[in-house]
Amino acid sequence: MRRIFPVTVFKIEGESMLPDFHPGDFIILNRWAYTFGVPKIGDCIALKDPRENGLVLIKRVSGVKKDGIFFRGDNSNASTDSRTIGAVARKAIIGKVLARIGK
């Protein structure tokens, strides 16, 4: 993936980040946020789903270790996250959520 522009927009489709992000909301994402740094616990990020090519997940960072980034959805009952997928490599992170635009 080429990171030409520092920001991009994604549309929320699932309920894993309720109550902060609702289906139909749009988020503004900073693709360069972690170019020279690492995510912090609590950051809301977009990442490539390691199970399904082309799918993007919006989650919150729950841990940062040498072997990867751990992430969780705010709505635990409707979230597929590190509890089932495990940690992901830092290169799987697309960027940091800057803002939400409600529908």
Side-chain angles (χ1 to χ4, degrees):
M1 173 186 325
R2 294 178 58 191
R3 296 180 179 193
I4 298 171
F5 298 104
V7 295
T8 190
V9 176
F10 282 97
K11 183 177 182 180
I12 302 292
E13 294 184 6
E15 297 182 347
S16 71
M17 291 301 287
L18 287 171
D20 289 337
F21 302 96
H22 297 265
D25 287 351
F26 289 89
I27 57 168
I28 299 171
L29 193 71
N30 179 350
R31 299 168 81 110
W32 294 354
Y34 304 118
T35 302
F36 300 109
V38 296
K40 294 178 179 52
I41 293 174
D43 284 357
C44 193
I45 61 171
L47 62 133
K48 298 174 198 170
D49 188 329
R51 306 160 304 146
E52 194 170 331
N53 192 23
L55 188 62
V56 174
L57 303 174
I58 308 299
K59 304 293 178 183
R60 198 167 303 279
V61 175
S62 61
V64 180
K65 308 276 186 192
K66 282 185 178 180
D67 57 344
I69 308 295
F70 293 86
F71 56 95
R72 290 192 67 160
D74 290 348
N75 181 4
S76 297
N77 293 331
S79 180
T80 301
D81 47 39
S82 287
R83 294 172 297 165
T84 54
I85 297 172
V88 296
R90 192 168 149 207
K91 67 181 180 182
I93 297 175
I94 299 168
K96 180 178 180 178
V97 175
L98 293 177
R100 176 184 67 89
I101 304 167
K103 55 182 174 176

